[in-house]
Amino acid sequence: MEAVALARKLTPGVLLLDLSMPKHSGLEALRELGSTSEGNPVRVILLTAAAEKAEIVMALNLGARGVVMKASATEVLLTAIASVMAGDFWVGLKRVPNLVQYLQAELQASQDEARAKTYGLTARELQIVSGAVAGLANKEIAAHFEISEDTVKHHLSNIFNKVGVWTRLELALFAVNHNLPLPPIE
């Protein structure tokens, strides 16, 4: 809170802000800095030991100009500061001259990761897998999702081919061992 008040009062060229602070997180401080009518005139670089992609994107959305890992060499931090002062963004170990392109690439990478985690299974196929893992028979799965039993069989055949299994038991083991993001059966 004190750092936010001082940053508003003194408007430093750059503010190095820890993402994980005990009473007031770096993201909360960023939110506070940006809550004035004139926005955040201070260029903020967040320092963090570890950050999820979602936290980095949130920090950039809240006005951070950079995110640097604490374990980075001093030269990386100095280069990040120089890049931010020159008007660019900095994420991890690299200068980001175009934030929109960077965020689009990160979004695409996240979508690709999500696709990889589902092994190419569609949302409907994941529902069918949920039913199989729950021990439901084809007829019960069909009734639950209001589709025909033949459609369930067709989906199961596609699922077996996509994940490389031959039986429902193998499918259930595959789903559990690979942490498939299965929707709950209600």
Side-chain angles (χ1 to χ4, degrees):
M1 296 293 283
E2 186 179 346
V4 169
L6 284 171
R8 282 186 173 152
K9 180 180 175 185
L10 302 174
T11 58
V14 172
L15 173 63
L16 300 179
L17 188 61
D18 194 333
L19 183 63
S20 300
M21 295 184 288
K23 294 181 182 177
H24 202 71
S25 79
L27 292 177
E28 289 173 9
L30 265 173
R31 211 173 267 118
E32 287 288 322
L33 282 169
S35 67
T36 62
S37 60
E38 64 272 0
N40 181 10
V42 179
R43 293 179 186 102
V44 177
I45 297 176
L46 279 179
L47 300 174
T48 180
E52 298 287 324
K53 282 183 183 179
E55 287 178 311
I56 291 171
V57 170
M58 182 181 290
L60 294 169
N61 276 332
L62 290 172
R65 300 289 298 191
V67 179
V68 177
M69 305 310 276
K70 289 180 184 179
S72 298
T74 304
E75 292 81 25
V76 171
L77 179 58
L78 294 174
T79 304
I81 291 170
S83 293
V84 166
M85 291 301 293
D88 288 330
F89 290 82
W90 186 274
V91 179
L93 296 173
K94 63 183 177 186
R95 181 177 67 89
V96 178
N98 186 323
L99 185 61
V100 173
Q101 280 181 340
Y102 172 81
L103 291 175
Q104 286 173 338
E106 286 300 308
L107 176 62
Q108 184 62 47
S110 293
Q111 289 171 343
D112 291 346
E113 281 178 30
R115 253 193 298 310
K117 287 181 184 176
T118 61
Y119 296 85
L121 298 175
T122 66
R124 174 61 87 189
E125 289 170 337
L126 287 169
Q127 290 174 332
I128 302 298
V129 173
S130 289
V133 168
L136 301 178
N138 289 353
K139 188 174 188 175
E140 294 170 309
I141 294 171
H144 183 79
F145 293 113
E146 299 177 350
I147 57 178
S148 75
E149 197 171 344
D150 285 338
T151 301
V152 172
K153 290 176 186 177
H154 177 75
H155 281 305
L156 282 170
S157 178
N158 287 339
I159 293 165
F160 287 0
N161 287 332
K162 285 181 180 182
V163 300
V165 298
W166 294 93
T167 67
R168 293 168 75 97
L169 176 58
E170 287 177 335
L171 177 60
L173 290 171
F174 180 89
V176 170
N177 289 333
H178 291 88
N179 293 320
L180 285 181
L182 300 177
I185 296 290
E186 299 163 358

